[in-house]
Amino acid sequence: MRVGIIGLGFRLGYLGYVFKAIDESFEIAGYVDPEPAGLPGLIEQGISAGKAYATPQELIANEKMDLLMIGSPNHLHLEHIRIGLEAGLKIFCEKPIVTTIQDSIELARLMAKFGHERLMVGLVLRYSPMYRDLLVAQAEGRLGHVVSIEASEHIEPYHGAFFMRDWRRYQHYSGSFMLEKCCHDLDLYNGVVGARPERVASFGGRKSFIPENDPAREGINDLELFHRKPSGWMGSDKVFDSDGDIIDYQVAIVEYANGVGMNFHTNLNVPDQFRRFAIMGSRGMAEGDFIRGYFNVHEMLTGKKVIEKTYATRTTLSQHYGADEQMAADIISHVKSGQHLPVSTLNALEAGILALSMDEARMKRTVVDLRPTWDEFDEALYSKVA
């Protein structure tokens, strides 16, 4: 299986190793990236990245590929996807798939023109064992009708500091923190609810990574914690005086088209981090935490715990609770034999639009009605191509 890479950053450098471990025939034909942060990791694993090319067009013109993998900065995804689709290639694109509502609508037009099957997206948590078990419990009727959801994604200070130092600190590159980091989670809960979000309110800002909280002001000189995770393109050493415009905490309330309500909370400065959910249904309750590795289901009528499972939070290959290697295996099978995947481009676009709407609500301090956006989106998605 030969692939080309546009954007050989840390993530695709790591995934190159995972894909190679799953399928020995995996081969990187070439890549496009002026600053390939993921290249040293591949070399360390004894994996060739092939030939370096100056442009995506040169890569496509000179190499025969089964799959084009896109890991470029988020704001470049749409153009790189367009180039790949027009060249007739199958594409895997890292999340988030695009960074604005208008780009979401434009990608919907591309889906109408080229179809959905040639574009895959790296929403890796859909492949996690815990989420799959949650969907099984839901399908068995253990939850009944979903009524409300409480969910969160919180990260440790070293990871939050990375976002303050990396190119992702600028919303015009990343889209926003909610989009860049939490689109995984929003996608999961969209899937559980089974309907689109219709109304969103949100509040947040930056209160942790600000100058007055810099430990150096208190004479603390061991600041290795805040530089532990390396940054790539446009990296900076500034943490508490970052010039970025992303938030470091945000809360949001969502109402779905079927009446389900959800609140979601993210924070970038949580020393005992967690990534958990509680899904309340008419017949039961499901609760889990990806980082702490547990999943429980309680029955409403008796209060009994009817499912109790624990999970490895890291595996030999996976940074995402056993999901990375499953995603690699499924993507390879999809490319080779058309195997169905648990997440689609449409899922990715819907999660992205929800994240972007949360940011709109936060910045405008208003409730955002998504129905006009969905009307425009659907008009593009189902448009007829001449």
Side-chain angles (χ1 to χ4, degrees), residues 21 24 29 48 52 54-55 66 75-76 80 104 121 129 169 218 236 248 259 290 292 299 317 327 332 371 381:
E24 186 60 32
S48 171
T55 67
D66 300 300
H75 70 295
L76 300 174
H80 291 157
S104 301
V121 62
R169 69 188 184 272
E218 302 172 26
S236 168
D248 62 23
F290 290 98
R292 298 176 181 180
E299 186 179 69
L317 290 177
M327 181 181 74
I332 290 167
R371 288 172 294 183
L381 187 65

Side-chain angles (χ1 to χ4, degrees), residues 113-148:
K113 181 177 180 180
F114 293 103
H116 293 245
E117 291 303 310
R118 283 174 40 210
L119 179 57
M120 295 150 269
V121 62
L123 284 169
V124 69
L125 289 193
R126 285 264 189 162
Y127 297 85
S128 64
M130 186 187 300
Y131 187 66
R132 292 186 175 206
D133 288 342
L134 169 60
L135 293 186
V136 169
Q138 184 179 18
E140 290 174 347
R142 295 184 181 275
L143 305 183
H145 300 296
V146 176
V147 177
S148 59

Side-chain angles (χ1 to χ4, degrees), residues 155 163 174-182 246-247 266 268:
I155 61 177
F163 278 96
S174 64
S176 73
F177 179 81
M178 185 65 77
L179 178 70
E180 159 65 27
K181 190 71 176 75
C182 302
I246 60 169
I247 54 87
T266 188
L268 284 68

Side-chain angles (χ1 to χ4, degrees), residues 5-7 31-33 53-63 65 68 70 72 76 79-81 83-84 87 89:
I5 291 178
I6 301 174
Y31 69 91
V32 179
D33 193 323
Y53 288 94
T55 67
Q57 291 85 349
E58 289 181 22
L59 169 67
I60 291 168
N62 286 279
E63 300 291 351
M65 296 174 285
L68 179 66
I70 297 174
S72 49
L76 300 174
E79 184 58 25
H80 291 157
I81 289 169
I83 290 169
L89 294 170

